[in-house]
Structures are given as structure tokens and as C-alpha cells.
Amino acid sequence: MKHLTIIVPDGQSTLSSVACIVGAHEMFATANAYWKENGRDELFKIELAGISEESEFQDGMLSLKHLSPVSTVRKTDLILVPALVHDFQGARPGNKLLAEWIAKQYRNGAEVASMCTGAYMLASSGLLDGRKCSTHWHTMNNFRTVFPNVILEEENLITDEKGIYTNGGGYSFLNLAIYLVEKYYDRQTAIYCSKILQVEIDRQRQSAFIIFTGQKLHDDEMVKEAQLYIESKPDEKISVEDLSSKFAVGRRNFDRRFIKATGNTPVEYAQRVKIEWAKKAFENTRKTINEVMYEVGYSDVKAFRELFRKITGMSPLEYRNKYNKEAS
């Protein structure tokens, strides 16, 4: 029998942490039960582990008891790290100990998966340096600042690299759990869990949920001014040459500073601003696709649709129908 360890954080947690712990436990327990019903032995022994034998959440509103101290877990095959608050720079000592334990277990052959902002604990262990990672889109800018050596994949819901898994935000941790069930059990078990727990299978992107706000957690005032200028003119076609000239910076130097500060080229940033404006129009108005397209400075329907799909993972019509009942 394999061993699954679900980490219970030492504070710095939220109700989402509890949801991840309980939801992942139920997913793997359901998979175990399915195998047992079909004449096979349960695949995983599931264990909750932390620093102490009890952990409280939300000022004592909820608590988890009878936890196994990680110091007693000598060997495990798979570790799941739940969501955390994203101020992991001020991590409690217990969480640092958990991160060190996770890194040690990985070196000893365990695989590790972080759910939502659990990526902060995983990154603090050093295991994500130079590797791909996903986390909640809302914390991407902060995460990129705290862990510059991690390769963030904003659009992807799940990353899978050398026995390390990460996933996007919120309750998408259930999609990661389904993914791991298929990997460790089989496809049919994943389908069964998907149907019983009513979790969509094979979901790969979180693009449609992202609200683009722009990376402004940097100290380059010129770039901040350029960002605000771009954001104030979603209906205009702004050339990079005009921007660099406006701020009296050479084109190459302007590009370099903009990319370093925001993670996007000026063109990509302007495109994201326009598509975010278009998304809000589709959500809140009855405007047609063409009307919205013209209002964000596009005249080529094909080009607009391709860009919209590239950024959101959906066509403009699919997006409007999903988020605007009146318009659909």
C-alpha cells in the first residue's frame, strides 16, 4: 500500500486550507472505495500530518484533531500541500519545518503536489526553483516578486514536472486531485470520482477566470506611468514607438524595462488591457461582438477572436453566453 500525506499548515491558513484538506481526503477515499468495491486492495493509506496533533482554523471556528506529527512520518509516496495565505515571507517556524520536511521527502523519492496558494510553501522549500508552477491568478504578481526563480504559468491549471505538481486557484484543487487519481489509480477510477463528486475531468486552463490587473509591484515609476497610460486608452492603437517617445526612453530600453517590471511586453500588456475591457463589456452589456471589438480598437474580426481565445481560452461568443444570461 502506498502512503499519502496531506499537510496541515501551522497557522497562516484560511477556510480554503480546510476545503483543500477535506476535499482531497474525500477524493482519494472515494478512489480507494471504488477499487475495494471492484475487488482490488485500497491503493493509499491517507494520513493528515502537521507540526502538532491538533490545528485550529478561522479563530477556532474549525479544528482538525488526531494529526500525525511529520516527525513520525518517516516515508511517504505522495504529499499534498493545501492553500495558504500568500504572506509566506512571514512564515511561522512550523511552516518552515514543514517545507524542509517536504524537500527531504522529495529527495527520498516522494512526489509533491501543491493546491492553490500552497505553492508558496512548496516554493519556499526551493523545489520550484527553475521549474514551472501554477497558483491562484490573484496572487501571481506577489508570487512572482517573492519567488523570481520560479517559472509561473498563469494560464495553466496544472503543472506536472519531475514528480512535482501545482495547480491554479480556488476550488480547482479538485481538478488536480482528479488528475492525480488518474495518474496513480487509472482512467476509469478518475471518471468514477468525477461523476460521484461532480468535478469536471480534463480541465487544463484557468484563463477564463483571470481578472487582469497588471503587475505593479515594482519600483520603476516610468513603467508604472506607461501602464496607467495604456490602461486609460483601451480604445486606441498605441505603438511602442509612440510610448517610448512619450516617456523619452529608447525603444529597446523601454521594452527591456517594461518586460522586467511587468512580465509582459508592452504589446502583450496593451492586448491584455483591451481583452479585459472586452470581457467586462460582454459580462455587463448587451453589445454585440463587433461593437465591443470596435470599442477596443480592433477592426479585424478574425484577429480579435484569435486574441480573445488566446488570452481567455474561449471565443467572445462563448464567453458572453457563459457570463451574461441576458445577452445569451
Side-chain angles (χ1 to χ4, degrees), residues 133-190:
C133 170
S134 183
T135 187
H136 199 297
W137 61 262
H138 189 59
T139 67
M140 285 282 184
N141 291 337
N142 175 270
F143 189 96
R144 188 178 286 110
T145 301
V146 178
F147 301 109
N149 294 326
V150 179
I151 304 169
L152 273 178
E153 295 205 334
E154 188 170 284
E155 292 84 8
N156 286 342
L157 190 69
I158 296 170
T159 66
D160 176 346
E161 187 175 1
K162 296 182 180 179
I164 296 178
Y165 310 88
T166 66
N167 95 284
Y171 285 76
S172 71
F173 74 85
L174 291 168
N175 299 106
L176 173 65
I178 285 281
Y179 182 88
L180 292 172
V181 164
E182 180 172 358
K183 180 178 177 65
Y184 277 92
Y185 294 80
D186 53 33
R187 177 70 175 180
Q188 194 55 48
T189 306

Side-chain angles (χ1 to χ4, degrees), residues 121-317:
M121 182 181 287
L122 198 51
S124 73
S125 73
L127 293 180
L128 290 178
D129 286 352
R131 288 180 174 155
K132 297 174 182 177
C133 170
S134 183
T135 187
H136 199 297
W137 61 262
H138 189 59
T139 67
M140 285 282 184
N141 291 337
N142 175 270
F143 189 96
R144 188 178 286 110
T145 301
V146 178
F147 301 109
N149 294 326
V150 179
I151 304 169
L152 273 178
E153 295 205 334
E154 188 170 284
E155 292 84 8
N156 286 342
L157 190 69
I158 296 170
T159 66
D160 176 346
E161 187 175 1
K162 296 182 180 179
I164 296 178
Y165 310 88
T166 66
N167 95 284
Y171 285 76
S172 71
F173 74 85
L174 291 168
N175 299 106
L176 173 65
I178 285 281
Y179 182 88
L180 292 172
V181 164
E182 180 172 358
K183 180 178 177 65
Y184 277 92
Y185 294 80
D186 53 33
R187 177 70 175 180
Q188 194 55 48
T189 306
I191 292 172
Y192 175 81
C193 291
S194 172
K195 290 181 177 180
I196 288 293
L197 299 177
Q198 298 192 37
V199 179
E200 184 180 352
I201 199 168
D202 295 332
R203 190 177 144 223
Q204 298 296 325
R205 293 169 65 89
Q206 62 175 339
S207 309
F209 298 94
I210 295 173
I211 300 173
F212 182 72
T213 56
Q215 155 68 317
K216 296 188 178 73
L217 300 176
H218 59 81
D219 300 320
D220 194 323
E221 294 302 322
M222 182 277 293
V223 173
K224 285 183 181 178
E225 288 183 33
Q227 289 175 266
L228 293 174
Y229 182 80
I230 292 170
E231 291 167 11
S232 70
K233 300 180 181 298
D235 58 327
E236 293 187 14
K237 292 181 179 180
I238 304 172
S239 73
V240 181
E241 287 78 9
D242 290 343
L243 273 175
S244 59
S245 176
K246 177 179 176 61
F247 293 98
V249 179
R251 166 67 191 269
R252 290 181 65 184
N253 191 32
F254 181 83
D255 277 349
R256 180 187 59 79
R257 288 173 62 176
F258 201 98
I259 293 169
K260 181 181 178 181
T262 70
N264 294 120
T265 68
V267 171
E268 289 170 342
Y269 197 91
Q271 289 174 338
R272 287 183 171 272
V273 167
K274 290 175 182 294
I275 295 305
E276 192 61 36
W277 195 98
K279 285 163 58 180
K280 289 184 173 62
F282 289 139
E283 292 166 13
N284 301 310
T285 74
R286 298 176 65 88
K287 292 177 181 177
T288 66
I289 306 299
N290 282 359
E291 285 174 328
V292 172
M293 176 187 72
Y294 292 134
E295 288 182 359
V296 294
Y298 282 88
S299 57
D300 185 327
V301 176
K302 183 180 178 182
F304 176 69
R305 285 175 178 165
E306 288 178 352
L307 178 63
F308 195 95
R309 184 178 288 279
K310 177 184 176 182
I311 290 177
T312 69
M314 306 169 70
S315 72
L317 184 60

Side-chain angles (χ1 to χ4, degrees), residues 97-113:
L97 289 174
L98 288 173
E100 291 170 1
W101 178 85
I102 290 168
K104 180 181 178 181
Q105 289 294 327
Y106 178 75
R107 290 192 295 269
N108 289 338
E111 295 196 325
V112 187

